[in-house]
Amino acid sequence: MKKINQCFLVAALASLLFAGCEKNEQKPIQILDHTRSELTVRLQENSGLVHRVYRDTTIELSTGVSETHVHLMDINGHSLRIFILEADMDQPKVKLHPLTPNGEDAYARQTIPEMIGYAESEGRVLFASNADFFNGTTGEPRGIVYKSGAPIRTTMPVGWTFFGVSRSGELMIGDDVDYEREKANIYHALGGHQTLVKNGETVIHTDNTIEPRTAVGYTSDNHVYFMVVDGRKYDYSYGISFTDLGQLMHALGVTESINLDGGGSSTFLVNDPADSAYKVRNRTSDGAPRAVANGWAIIAE
């Protein structure tokens, strides 16, 4: 009888242990089913790239401006950390502002945390990211630079792109052909490269390299989205291709989107309302923010 009781006890303990493990595995999914942010739901339901969401958080930075951080596993089993800034540009006090080193028109390199100090005279800086590709020695950007209607750099390589705001306040994305047609109408603009979403359709790229990347795009109802996907750290965040980045942006609802500089340049900075302090949310692949040619800020006037 004693032997039978011992066997029964072992079986009961094993059963409890198995049940506990099963519960722990399922718990994160159960929680997230009730706490997913609106943007995370869009990524899951509209991209076809998301296998599982581990966690997500959304913080309101100001009226009409929010930051969302998503940690997920993609369909290939890779961990991804995605940072999204959403800004409703119909909010009267929300503005886009181009950043340059020391707030000047000369070519140079400076980190995004350093650049925002020269934009604070324009209003309360809520968010900032890197923008155009550049010459690593001189800091000269590859694309155009327009600040408050003043043309600073007016040449663009064939097939490259730009993002900006027109003199009448409309959001703009275009290539070198669009630039020649619209340049007299540009108020703010900085360059970019690959087109990710055009006329509401994702653009397919043959370059399938995986890197940290930065993208910008906008919707038909005047919402701007900046996205940074971290990379080069397999156990933290793998990185993403141009096509998949476009699919994520398209899943958010953008009609136009371009790729900005990536790799070690990718920087996602917010003015954290909890601490009233600027924080770089992503883990830059260089280990610290890289000095870049220019960037974008969202400002509350």
Side-chain angles (χ1 to χ4, degrees), residues 122-255:
E122 302 291 329
R124 183 162 57 97
V125 178
L126 304 174
F127 161 82
S129 80
N130 65 297
D132 200 4
F133 297 75
F134 57 91
N135 182 302
T137 302
T138 66
E140 181 176 3
R142 295 295 303 273
I144 61 173
V145 178
Y146 279 65
K147 293 171 64 180
S148 302
I152 297 166
R153 192 176 193 278
T154 59
T155 58
M156 182 189 302
V158 174
W160 286 55
T161 60
F162 70 94
F163 167 68
V165 184
S166 73
R167 291 179 180 271
S168 59
E170 296 177 346
L171 298 170
M172 310 173 73
I173 280 180
D175 57 19
D176 56 298
V177 176
D178 298 315
Y179 168 63
E180 291 300 322
R181 183 177 61 249
E182 298 289 343
K183 59 185 178 182
N185 190 36
I186 294 175
Y187 186 67
H188 291 320
L190 298 173
H193 193 187
Q194 294 83 358
T195 300
L196 302 176
V197 180
K198 187 174 182 62
N199 297 324
E201 298 294 333
T202 304
V203 177
I204 306 301
H205 292 267
T206 56
D207 182 349
N208 294 314
T209 53
I210 305 296
E211 297 288 353
R213 301 202 187 277
T214 303
V216 64
Y218 57 80
T219 64
S220 58
D221 61 352
N222 220 28
H223 283 225
V224 166
Y225 290 93
F226 285 88
M227 178 183 291
V228 166
V229 180
D230 271 345
R232 298 180 181 171
K233 299 179 180 71
Y234 187 85
D235 58 341
Y236 167 73
S237 187
Y238 184 63
I240 198 165
S241 68
F242 295 121
T243 299
D244 287 353
L245 182 61
Q247 289 188 28
L248 292 181
M249 292 296 287
H250 183 265
L252 296 178
V254 306
T255 56

Side-chain angles (χ1 to χ4, degrees), residues 59-81:
I59 299 172
E60 184 178 64
L61 304 178
S62 186
T63 303
V65 181
S66 62
E67 169 216 6
T68 298
H69 171 207
V70 188
H71 178 204
L72 60 83
M73 179 191 291
D74 70 14
I75 56 174
N76 296 309
H78 298 132
S79 173
L80 289 183
R81 307 278 180 153

Side-chain angles (χ1 to χ4, degrees), residues 33 39 48 52 84 101-102 131 142 152 159 164 189 192 203 212 238 279 289 300:
D33 283 344
L39 297 190
R52 176 177 293 179
I84 306 167
N102 301 311
R142 295 295 303 273
I152 297 166
V203 177
Y238 184 63
K279 293 184 178 180

Side-chain angles (χ1 to χ4, degrees), residues 79-114:
S79 173
L80 289 183
R81 307 278 180 153
I82 302 171
F83 302 84
I84 306 167
L85 187 285
E86 178 180 16
D88 180 358
M89 301 311 296
D90 286 334
Q91 291 291 328
K93 294 185 178 181
V94 175
K95 305 294 180 185
L96 274 164
H97 185 75
L99 301 173
T100 56
N102 301 311
E104 298 177 353
D105 298 343
Y107 304 142
R109 293 177 61 186
Q110 195 171 47
T111 68
I112 294 300
E114 291 170 328

